[in-house]
Each structure stands twice: as structure tokens, then as C-alpha cells.
Amino acid sequence: MSLIVHKYGGTSMGSIERIQNVARRVAKWHAAGHQVVVVPSAMSGETNRLLGLAKELSVQPDPRELDMLAATGEQASSALLAMALAAQGVPARSYTGWQVPVKTDSAYTRARIRSIDDTRIRQDLDAGRVVVVTGFQGVDDEGNITTLGRGGSDTSAVAVAAAMKASECLIYTDVDGVYTTDPRVVPEARRMKVLSFEEMLEMASLGSKVLQIRSVEFAGKYKVPVRVLSSLTDPMIPLEEEMSSGTLITFEEDQKMEAAVVSGIAFSRDEAKFTLRAVPDTPGVAYSILGPIAAANIEVDMILQNLSVQGTTDFSFTVSRNDALRTKELLTNQVGPAVGAGEIVFDEAVCKVSIVGIGMRNHAGIASSMFRALSEEGINIQMISTSEIKTSVIIADKYMELAVRALHKTFELDQEK
Amino acid sequence: MSLIVHKYGGTSMGSIERIQNVARRVAKWHAAGHQVVVVPSAMSGETNRLLGLAKELSVQPDPRELDMLAATGEQASSALLAMALAAQGVPARSYTGWQVPVKTDSAYTRARIRSIDDTRIRQDLDAGRVVVVTGFQGVDDEGNITTLGRGGSDTSAVAVAAAMKASECLIYTDVDGVYTTDPRVVPEARRMKVLSFEEMLEMASLGSKVLQIRSVEFAGKYKVPVRVLSSLTDPMIPLEEEMSSGTLITFEEDQKMEAAVVSGIAFSRDEAKFTLRAVPDTPGVAYSILGPIAAANIEVDMILQNLSVQGTTDFSFTVSRNDALRTKELLTNQVGPAVGAGEIVFDEAVCKVSIVGIGMRNHAGIASSMFRALSEEGINIQMISTSEIKTSVIIADKYMELAVRALHKTFELDQEK
């Protein structure tokens, strides 16, 4: 008997029939003697519907009220799943984030989990119940409802698995695993059977939407074995078959994994690039620019400072497109005047394309192969950022699909190794 | 400066535009210097949508999970209203039942409020904020979400007003007050400007849908002045005009009110009649029948025990139609065999029609006028129940409208007195 955490995304919970399928699958695990905690997302479309209502009322709704609003989606789907389980004879009980409680900080719409008290969950599991815990949400020290940001249900699931030392965390989704890149862009993309935690971390942070970045961080920190697999298979397929499907995120680097120099290509249009022209090139100017941005809780991704020309420099950086408006305001009203910038240029027509591979550690020249491939397609590279196991570039977003396809071919990702 | 509680029903909250109108109205009260607590219902249709999903999953969903599900409707509308207020420059904060907290017992789907802690609400009011409190819901001692049953938002509003000793509780709804009877049945029905608390209590308990019965009980217990008024007027009408509109539920019996012998006609199709035939007429048989019903938390309304014939009797009673299925099961499987009933007869084709008036206390013969009026229309009376200020009859439901119109005319309710 193992303790298993299941997570189901919005598409998997998207209709009554699908919720019933989820219940059938969970019932199968329960019948096999496992203790199961299920973390569902809101029914697909629900979060967008709610946020759409909010946008009709306000251009920038109060984040606290946004969380109050958005958290209802998972509460409803969790209750429905508990009912669906009961209808199939499986005793079940659902809990919201505050009921568990899942304690978070107070950063509304992007809160971080601080602790999870599993007392209630364990009592129910020991009583033979399946426990349904709302994804995406928690509660701060003052009792306000918080949410973890888009895709936060992955994080909830892995965090519950970590807190309870679950044997596995199964992330059921509408794709059957993690691919070398998005198959909608490159039809030859292949599903990876295993992927190292570090590669998954890079893939997630670089725009692969399969797993939310913070869930991967949690998995890494607490060594939670995570498997990404399909919720669209027959719910009654044998457990053994289900257990070997999808993509396993592993913590062991075996020989096979070393062989793949580049494992995957990630990309993202969720980028906004800002350039402050003719900034006086004095010590501390980078901090003067980025300090207020960080203070506003906006994450800066890539940074580029050009060579100084006549005592001034051009300073560029990228942020998530969601933060573009706030960043623009900060730069225009506060940072620009303070540092004496000549001009502030804003470009949303950019994207980020990245190659990721744990094998890059031991192989030279991978980045230059990437640059050559892009140059052969006539794609200009605007910014570059590298780490031990990835190289990312910012390019014009009209070239995104072209770049991804070219890189997928260059690194022979369509071929099983 | 007064502390005022506003309650808005689902229709008043039924669209973004209507929520904006509610915000405008609340902003007007706030601007006039009043402290305002607003209790909104879920957007119209939302509770039915949620319960519809539940019914697709289960014939009898777990009541705990039903409450978990249904409570999301008010949470969402409260957050939206707080955003709408902020968009109009009024600082506002929304709270769920558990955040206040509104403590209730654990009778899911029909919980009763035990206490309200107004500490957080007062802090916000003192900071100049409007406070939005979700109607309809609370939390039990184990931290489970509970709901107060249909129309429970009225009760929430009056309970908050009572706990905070508010000057007034304004129930905004889609009608402009309490009428002598439902104008859809009797076009000549008149709006009452004042109504005694006791009459309102009878009207509510007898089927007038304007106010939920428990809210009236709360108002009576804590002497909360309640006004029922329209949310469909221009939100910017002068405060004075708004304050004298609608129907005021009062605790003072003035001369004028004594004059009206019958104030209103209430009616309800929410009735189910059960008859146990040929029950042995032994002491304690009524308790043997009704004890298990009460233990199942089912409220029995009217009771009729016929004269004993040859040691057996027919025993009839009515319950709310919502409880009909459970009552039928109890009678068939448990009560009937236990008391040795000859036959169990179930009739849903009945309704209740009642005349209500505080003046009935001092006037004889009112009930017989009622019976005569019904008899002249050829309507057979199946059961009768009376109190100091009301007389109710159970009749075949096909006669309901006819009976209401006849009684409205008999007691001259279309004429201002």
C-alpha cells in the first residue's frame, strides 16, 4: 500500500463525464489498496470565465479580491469530484486550501506555499477515504485566501506529496508526457520516457507548459518522484501499464541520459523586452534600474548591458508579459527619470527559444551550433543567456516556430537515441 | 453616521452591469457618511448551475460536498462586488463566511447561525472601507463549510445586522416591497408600507418568498429594523426617498395596523401530504410516527389525526416537498411497519393557502369567512391549521390561484385602508 498523489488539470476536469472518468481512475487506485490524495484544477474555462468577469469590472482588480474570486473554481471542482467518487462507492471528502490548511505568504495571485498541515488528510486516509484537496490556493497568516498563480495546482499537488512523503506524484494532463518540444510546432517531437529533474526545471522555466516551474522546484527540493501522464486514456487500464506511461522526472543521471546532449527545445512568447537608452554608465546603475522592479515583485529574466559609449550605455531586460504594464509604469514614472535615461523602448514582439540538456555540461560547442543554426535561417539574436544545461536566446517572435523547428532538426531530437 | 447592512439578491447581482449598479448604490450610502456592510447573494442562476452539476453526478449528493460547492457562488459574487466598489473609488474588502467567521451548527444545506464575530468587519469599517460579507454560508466547529439553505443570504444579512447592532437592514430585491399577495396571481395586490414583524413571520413561513423565514426570526429576536425595497430603482435616487420606499417590518403595533383584520394572503405549492391509514389508535402513536421524521431533521407542518374508528385511525401530515422523498422512504421502510399502518398514501398535488393578519387577534369569525369563501368556489378543505394571527388550509393545488383571488377579494385587500 502506497500513498499516491494524483493531480488532474482543467481539461481532465472539463465536464461531468470527464470528472466521472477521473473518479473511475481514482477508484481503481483506491481499490488496489493505495491511499490516494487528489488535487484537481478548476473545470477548464472556469478560471478564465471568472477573471473575465473581474476584467469587466476593473482594469487592475485588487489582487486580494482576484484570489477570492479565482479560488472558487477549484473549490467547486473538488466538491464535484468528491461527489463523483461517492457515486462510485468510494468514500471521499474535499478540502479547500484554508481547510487543510495550505499556508502561504501574502503575495496575492502568486503566493508561495510555506507549510502544509496534513493532520486532517491523514485522518481521512486512515479512515479509508480518498481526500480531494483544492489545487492552486492557500491561506495566509491573516486568513486571506491566496492563489499560487497559473498552473499552481501542479505545485499544490507536489507540495502535498512532499509534505506527506508520498511515493509518487502523478500529474495527469491532456498530453501523454513531456516532449522534446511542443508537437503542435514540430510534428516530429518525441515523448521522453525519463527526464532529469534539472532538465525539467529548465524546460518548465523556459516556457514548456507541461509542468509549472514551482512544482518542479518543490519536486527537486523534496525529491518527490513526479510522473506526467495522460488523463485521456481508458481510466480502467491496468495499473502496471499506467505506472510505466508518460514521462518520469528522475533524480538519477543514468548513462542513457548522458548520451543526449540536448534533450528538448523550450520556447515562450510570454516575454516583454525593455530598453533604457543612453543611461549614464555609473556604478550601481543596474541596481538603480532593477531594484524598484524587484521591489514590485516583478521577476526580471534576461539582462543585457551594452558597452559604454561616451559615458552612457543601453540597458535591456526582459520580464514576463503579464508584468509588462506594471514595468512600463515603473520605468516611465519612476526609474527612467531617476537614472536619467534618454529613452525607454518597449518591445513585446519578442520570444525566447531555449535548448536544454544535461549533457551540455560535458560537451563544448553546443551553443555555437545553436547560433549557427539560427543564423542559417537568417534569425537575428537579440539577447543570450546561458546556464550549465541550457542556452536561451531572445529573437523576434515572428521567427519562433522557424527557430524551434530548425533547432529540433539540428540536434536530431526527432530520433530515438 | 449609522451602520447599515445592505442585502442584494441574485437578480440584483445577476450581471456585471447590475453589480456595478449595486456598487453605485452602496457608494452613495458610503459617501453620505454611513458605515456599510453588504451581503450579496450569488449571481442569479449560479446556484442552480452548480446544483445542476451535482445532480448530474449523484441522485443524493453528500450534503457536506453540496455546501462546499454551493458556497462558491456567493464567494465569487462578493469578490466581484468588492472589485466593483474599488473601481468606483470606494475601498472595499470581501469576506467569506469562515473568514468573518459566521459560526453555524453542522446541519449541512440548512445550517443555523450560532455566532458572528464582527472584529474584522469593524476594523475595516473603522478604516473607512465597505465590507462585503458572503451571504448564505458559514463554518462549523470542525471548519467545514456550511450553507443556510435557499434564501439564506437574507438570514446572513439580518444576523450580521443583529450582531453589529446596525441601525437598519435593507433587503434589496427585485420587487419593491411586500404585497398583500403575489401580484402575479392577483394583479390587484397592494404593496404594504408597514407590516408587523409577526405578520411578516407568518407570511414568510407560509410561502411568501420575499423574505426567508429565518431572517425574520432573527429580526424578531434581535429587534432589527428590516426594510424590503427594490434594487431596480435608479441607484442614485436621493437617500431620503430610498429610505421611505419599500416595506418596513416594524415591531410597533400602531392604530392603523389594528384596523386591518387580514393583511395578506400567503400560499405555497411546496407541500407534500402523507396519510397513514388504519393506524392502531394507541397512546404514543403520533410520537411513533413523527419521532423518526423529526430525528431525520425533517420539519412537519400540519398534522391531522382522524377520529378513531374501531380502534384504528388515519394519520395525516405535511412536509416540505424537498423532504418528500426522504419522508416516503422513512415511512415505507421504518415507520409504517413499526406502527402497523394499513396503507401509506402520498399526495403531492396539494398546496397551502393562508390568511395572515395581526387584527385577527381581536376579531372573531375571520376563519369562517375564509371557509365560506372557499366553499362558495367549490374548494374542498383537506386540513386546517390556525394560530393567533393566521389561518391556513391545505387544498388541491389546482385550486390555488382561484382560492388566493377569492380570499384577496373577500378581505378587500385591494383597497387601501
Side-chain angles (χ1 to χ4, degrees), chain A residues 29-256:
Chain A
W29 284 81
H30 184 257
H34 295 292
Q35 293 192 321
V36 190
V37 178
V38 189
V39 179
S41 295
M43 294 176 77
S44 58
E46 179 64 5
T47 307
N48 283 337
R49 182 182 77 86
L50 293 167
L51 298 183
L53 291 172
K55 282 223 167 140
E56 285 189 64
L57 286 169
S58 175
V59 183
Q60 282 195 300
D62 180 346
R64 179 189 181 278
E65 301 301 332
L66 269 183
D67 280 0
M68 185 90 164
L69 179 69
T72 62
E74 279 73 16
Q75 182 173 327
S77 66
S78 295
L80 290 170
L81 180 54
M83 291 175 199
L85 284 162
Q88 287 176 31
V90 179
R93 196 166 280 177
S94 73
Y95 294 104
T96 60
W98 63 267
Q99 284 178 319
V100 171
V102 175
K103 285 288 191 82
T104 73
D105 61 23
S106 301
Y108 298 118
T109 77
R110 53 173 72 187
R112 284 179 177 270
I113 295 175
R114 283 188 173 153
S115 68
I116 292 181
D117 180 349
D118 64 358
T119 314
R120 264 184 109 154
I121 300 178
R122 283 210 188 273
Q123 282 169 358
D124 282 313
L125 291 177
D126 291 344
R129 294 191 188 99
V130 165
V131 178
V132 184
V133 174
T134 53
F136 179 62
Q137 63 188 265
V139 62
D140 73 5
D141 285 341
E142 282 74 45
N144 299 300
I145 293 174
T146 57
T147 71
L148 311 180
R150 279 281 159 148
S153 294
D154 290 345
T155 307
S156 302
V158 177
V160 167
M164 304 192 71
K165 304 197 197 318
S167 318
E168 320 220 357
C169 182
L170 305 182
I171 309 279
Y172 289 90
T173 176
D174 53 350
V175 296
D176 64 352
V178 184
Y179 276 67
T180 49
T181 195
D182 189 333
R184 284 170 298 188
V185 171
V186 183
E188 297 79 23
R190 273 185 316 104
R191 172 170 65 85
M192 295 178 267
K193 284 176 186 154
V194 287
L195 189 65
S196 76
F197 152 70
E198 289 156 294
E199 286 171 316
M200 189 65 239
L201 194 60
E202 291 288 1
M203 292 290 278
S205 71
L206 293 170
S208 164
K209 298 279 199 304
V210 178
L211 274 181
Q212 202 229 15
I213 172 77
R214 247 186 273 164
S215 71
V216 185
E217 287 169 358
F218 249 101
K221 190 166 173 188
Y222 296 99
K223 300 270 186 287
V224 180
V226 169
R227 184 179 292 274
V228 176
L229 67 176
S230 172
S231 68
L232 304 177
T233 56
D234 178 352
M236 300 318 287
I237 64 165
L239 268 196
E240 301 67 36
E241 196 178 321
E242 195 162 323
M243 279 305 297
S244 60
S245 68
T247 299
L248 177 69
I249 317 298
T250 176
F251 297 92
E252 289 146 35
E253 300 181 14
D254 65 13
Q255 300 301 63
K256 191 185 157 300

Side-chain angles (χ1 to χ4, degrees), chain B residues 263-315:
Chain B
S263 295
I265 317 275
F267 56 88
S268 162
R269 276 204 170 86
D270 180 26
E271 305 290 328
K273 182 181 152 195
F274 291 90
T275 301
L276 284 79
R277 289 208 197 284
V279 176
D281 192 8
T282 53
V285 69
Y287 177 73
S288 308
I289 294 171
L290 299 181
I293 307 290
N297 221 352
I298 297 168
E299 214 165 321
V300 171
D301 183 13
M302 284 199 212
I303 301 167
L304 180 72
Q305 185 169 355
N306 284 354
L307 278 180
S308 181
V309 177
Q310 295 181 325
T312 68
T313 181
D314 290 352
F315 191 94

Side-chain angles (χ1 to χ4, degrees), chain B residues 157-373:
Chain B
V158 177
V160 167
M164 303 192 71
K165 304 195 195 321
S167 318
E168 319 222 354
C169 183
L170 306 182
I171 308 280
Y172 290 90
T173 177
D174 53 351
V175 296
D176 65 352
V178 184
Y179 276 68
T180 49
T181 195
D182 189 333
R184 285 169 298 188
V185 172
V186 184
E188 297 79 22
R190 273 185 316 103
R191 172 169 66 84
M192 296 179 265
K193 285 177 187 154
V194 286
L195 188 65
S196 76
F197 151 71
E198 289 156 294
E199 286 170 316
M200 189 66 239
L201 194 61
E202 290 288 1
M203 291 290 278
S205 71
L206 294 171
S208 164
K209 297 280 197 304
V210 179
L211 274 181
Q212 202 230 12
I213 172 78
R214 247 186 275 163
S215 71
V216 185
E217 288 169 357
F218 248 102
K221 192 165 172 190
Y222 296 99
K223 299 269 185 288
V224 180
V226 169
R227 183 179 293 273
V228 176
L229 67 176
S230 172
S231 68
L232 304 177
T233 55
D234 177 354
M236 300 317 288
I237 63 165
L239 269 196
E240 300 67 37
E241 197 179 319
E242 196 163 322
M243 280 304 298
S244 61
S245 69
T247 298
L248 176 69
I249 317 297
T250 176
F251 297 91
E252 288 147 35
E253 301 180 14
D254 65 12
Q255 300 302 61
K256 191 189 156 297
M257 296 182 63
E258 285 290 323
V261 176
V262 172
S263 295
I265 317 275
F267 56 88
S268 162
R269 276 204 170 86
D270 180 26
E271 305 290 328
K273 182 181 152 195
F274 291 90
T275 301
L276 284 79
R277 289 208 197 284
V279 176
D281 192 8
T282 53
V285 69
Y287 177 73
S288 308
I289 294 171
L290 299 181
I293 307 290
N297 221 352
I298 297 168
E299 214 165 321
V300 171
D301 183 13
M302 284 199 212
I303 301 167
L304 180 72
Q305 185 169 355
N306 284 354
L307 278 180
S308 181
V309 177
Q310 295 181 325
T312 68
T313 181
D314 290 352
F315 191 94
S316 301
F317 63 93
T318 62
V319 299
S320 160
R321 213 169 275 194
N322 287 332
D323 293 325
L325 191 64
R326 287 197 300 144
T327 306
K328 202 173 182 178
E329 282 171 12
L330 271 173
L331 289 182
T332 311
N333 303 329
Q334 185 181 337
V335 176
V339 302
E343 188 190 0
I344 297 166
V345 184
F346 172 48
D347 188 359
E348 273 198 322
V350 295
C351 71
K352 180 163 64 173
V353 174
S354 314
I355 56 173
V356 175
I358 210 158
M360 289 168 73
R361 282 179 185 157
N362 310 316
H363 288 77
I366 302 298
S368 61
S369 301
M370 179 189 197
F371 304 152
R372 192 182 61 234

